Amino acid sequence: DILDFSCILYILKSLKVLSRFMIRGELEDENQLWDMVSKAIELAKRSSRPDLLYIVNKIKISLRTLIKLSLWKLLDYFRVLGDLKESDLKKYIKEKIESGYYFLYPSQLHALDEGILKPDIRRILICMPTGSGKTFLAEIILFLAFLKYQKENL
């Protein structure tokens, strides 16, 4: 059916946009992504296919979560700190992605939201379960400290 095909086409287009974002950090127009997902939902409803509607809604939830937890979201936290070269930050994130690390864990995102990267923090105690990302948070803190030291002393 043409409605099913059109719905699947919008799903595939939205996944292509997501994959470009996850690998390269390029999300030209996030509204365009959500428009494609909305059109897929609309087409799934019109096709009277509850299974297709279920899949599209699950994809919508997954897209939202993947974008929120993407390593590229680190740039938002880094930008707040100011005075750091964005090219260094992007290079760091690309290197992490090339080594297979694509996402932040929710516990890491929570620590970032709580201000773990604030420049006025001198000592940090991170209490999280094993395997929840403490080492990566420490790596980010050390990376930022290195960039600041490099900027101030070179």
Side-chain angles (χ1 to χ4, degrees), residues 11 18 20 25 37 39 43 50 53 70 84 87 94 104 113 125-126 135 140 143 150:
I11 291 170
L18 175 71
R20 190 177 312 122
V37 172
K39 288 177 184 176
L43 290 165
L53 182 59
S70 165
L84 297 175
S87 61
K94 284 180 183 179
L104 296 166
D113 286 340
L125 175 63
I126 302 173
T135 303
I140 293 169
F143 173 73
Q150 190 178 36

Side-chain angles (χ1 to χ4, degrees), residues 2-3 22 30 33-34 37 41-42 62 69 75 86 105 107 123:
I2 191 74
L3 291 175
M22 297 307 295
E30 192 170 345
L33 173 66
W34 300 119
V37 172
I41 290 172
E42 178 187 323
S62 297
L69 295 176
L75 285 177
E86 192 160 311
Y105 294 132
S107 56
R123 293 185 178 95

Side-chain angles (χ1 to χ4, degrees), residues 75 78-79 82-92 143-144 147-148 150-151:
L75 285 177
F78 292 161
R79 283 183 187 117
D83 294 339
L84 297 175
K85 287 183 7 185
E86 192 160 311
S87 61
D88 289 337
L89 304 174
K90 285 183 177 181
K91 182 180 175 188
Y92 172 74
F143 173 73
L144 291 174
L147 287 180
K148 288 178 188 176
Q150 190 178 36
K151 181 184 174 226

